[in-house]
């Protein structure tokens, strides 16, 4: 035809309307949950009814240049020799795990977060925020929870002074809680469910928010608890369900 071969081009592919909507939804997910990766986006899309496989999501996620979480160091595994005796939760509200996390307000003053997790469903039951948290404050949180949920059989925690205090022991005796399952000193992997929650709480909430006061931190933590990990975020260990769905009566393990 008298034209140089270098002048010929393939026609540009027309992006389908469905793919355009999918790309737009992926950008929305990345903007709303800046610490999420493509796997979490894929699970959420499937829950929303999108007919899409993980390879397609991976390709579009990469083509859109969406932010990915930074890689973390591999966590130390729990000893496999059976030396750690664990009370494994077989149903919701059998074992509650408690742990503290620390952050600070913009003026540099310390914030102390008490997180309470149900080990069976991974449901976050409470996040208490304050400048300090004593044993009586831990008991107050547990009393508030047991007014809504049945008392746990065991409470798993470390050997911090707030958790070994006589006030908490008295509360356990007065309630239906058999005992506290303390982990060995310097062995955080024995409280794995709480440590896993703490990691996501730090990554998706504490590292993305700037607090000016303790009440503001409590308000934001309550909003994140109800709209974030427990009620919205699908969990891989729960076959793609949210912790709130797994905690419902009759939910299969």
């Amino acid at each position: 035809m008298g034209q140089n071969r270098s002048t010929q081009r393939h026609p540009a592919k027309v992006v389908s309307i469905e793919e355009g909507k999918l790309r737009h939804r992926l950008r929305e997910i990345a903007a709303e949950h800046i610490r999420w990766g493509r796997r979490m986006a894929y699970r959420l899309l499937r829950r929303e009814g999108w007919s899409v496989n993980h390879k397609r999501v991976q390709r579009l996620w990469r083509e859109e240049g969406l932010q990915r979480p930074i890689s973390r160091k591999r966590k130390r595994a729990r000893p496999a020799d059976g030396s750690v005796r664990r009370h494994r939760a077989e149903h919701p509200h059998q074992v509650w795990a408690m742990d503290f996390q620390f952050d600070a307000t913009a003026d540099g003053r310390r914030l102390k977060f008490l997180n309470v997790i149900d080990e069976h469903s991974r449901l976050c039951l409470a996040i208490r925020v304050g400048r300090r948290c004593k044993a009586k404050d831990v008991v107050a949180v547990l009393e508030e929870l047991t007014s809504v949920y049945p008392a746990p059989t065991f409470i798993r925690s470390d050997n911090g002074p707030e958790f070994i205090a006589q006030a908490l022991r008295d509360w356990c005796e007065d309630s239906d809680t058999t005992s506290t399952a303390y982990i060995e000193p310097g062995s955080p992997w024995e409280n794995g469910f709480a440590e896993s929650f703490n990691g996501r709480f730090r990554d998706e909430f504490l590292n993305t928010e700037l607090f000016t006061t303790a009440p503001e931190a409590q308000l934001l933590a309550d909003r994140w608890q109800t709209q974030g990990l427990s009620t919205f975020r699908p969990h891989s260990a729960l076959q793609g369900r949210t912790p709130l769905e797994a905690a419902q009566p009759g939910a299969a393990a």
Side-chain angles (χ1 to χ4, degrees):
M1 297 188 55
Q3 293 185 0
N4 192 293
R5 184 182 296 272
S6 63
T7 64
Q8 307 306 309
R9 299 288 187 274
H10 289 290
K13 293 183 179 180
V14 178
V15 179
S16 67
I17 296 178
E18 188 270 340
E19 182 167 317
K21 291 181 179 179
L22 179 58
R23 288 176 180 269
H24 177 70
R25 181 59 184 138
L26 286 174
R27 291 193 296 269
E28 287 182 339
I29 294 174
E32 293 171 0
H33 308 280
I34 62 176
R35 301 302 301 156
W36 281 18
R38 58 177 176 80
R39 290 184 178 87
M40 283 303 306
Y42 167 72
R43 295 182 189 128
L44 183 58
L45 289 172
R46 296 292 294 183
R47 287 177 56 84
E48 293 178 350
W50 289 85
S51 180
V52 59
N53 62 29
H54 66 93
K55 294 182 180 179
R56 187 182 182 192
V57 172
Q58 180 181 8
R59 175 177 60 83
L60 297 179
W61 191 266
R62 181 176 60 251
E63 291 178 359
E64 291 295 321
L66 301 177
Q67 180 179 352
R68 301 173 181 84
I70 59 175
S71 59
R72 302 189 187 94
K73 293 183 179 179
R74 190 170 184 177
K75 295 182 179 179
R76 185 176 179 181
R78 180 169 58 91
D81 58 0
S83 60
V84 178
R85 181 176 179 270
R86 293 176 57 87
H87 300 282
R88 185 175 181 83
E90 299 178 353
H91 55 78
H93 306 298
Q94 183 179 14
V95 182
W96 288 358
M98 300 190 300
D99 200 8
F100 287 115
Q101 277 188 293
F102 297 91
D103 206 86
T105 48
D107 58 3
R109 299 176 62 194
R110 187 179 74 164
L111 287 174
K112 192 172 185 179
F113 294 77
L114 170 64
N115 301 329
V116 184
I117 315 298
D118 174 51
E119 288 196 359
H120 184 271
S121 64
R122 278 75 162 179
L123 180 66
C124 175
L125 302 174
I127 301 176
R128 182 197 181 275
V129 187
R131 298 294 182 183
R132 58 184 61 85
C133 185
K134 299 181 179 180
K136 63 179 182 180
D137 301 314
V138 176
V139 170
V141 171
L142 292 175
E143 288 182 345
E144 183 176 354
L145 288 176
T146 51
S147 67
V148 180
Y149 306 105
T153 305
F154 298 97
I155 295 178
R156 195 187 314 281
S157 69
D158 58 29
N159 293 269
E162 302 88 354
F163 298 139
I164 63 175
Q166 188 62 40
L168 182 57
R169 296 176 182 271
D170 293 340
W171 182 86
C172 290
E173 292 179 359
D174 295 337
S175 66
D176 295 331
T177 301
T178 304
S179 64
T180 51
Y182 296 115
I183 66 175
E184 291 295 325
S187 305
W189 58 85
E190 293 183 23
N191 198 3
F193 293 101
E195 292 295 332
S196 176
F197 174 85
N198 289 349
R200 287 174 170 78
F201 185 59
R202 172 73 63 186
D203 190 40
E204 299 178 11
F205 179 71
L206 296 181
N207 288 348
T208 61
E209 297 287 351
L210 179 63
F211 311 116
T212 55
T213 63
E216 179 192 29
Q218 181 69 73
L219 180 64
L220 292 174
D222 290 340
R223 186 178 67 181
W224 186 86
Q225 178 191 355
T226 56
Q227 300 178 2
L229 184 65
S230 295
T231 60
F232 183 74
R233 190 184 196 278
H235 202 295
S236 58
L238 302 175
Q239 295 77 48
R241 297 174 297 169
T242 65
L244 186 61
E245 292 171 340
Q248 299 300 320

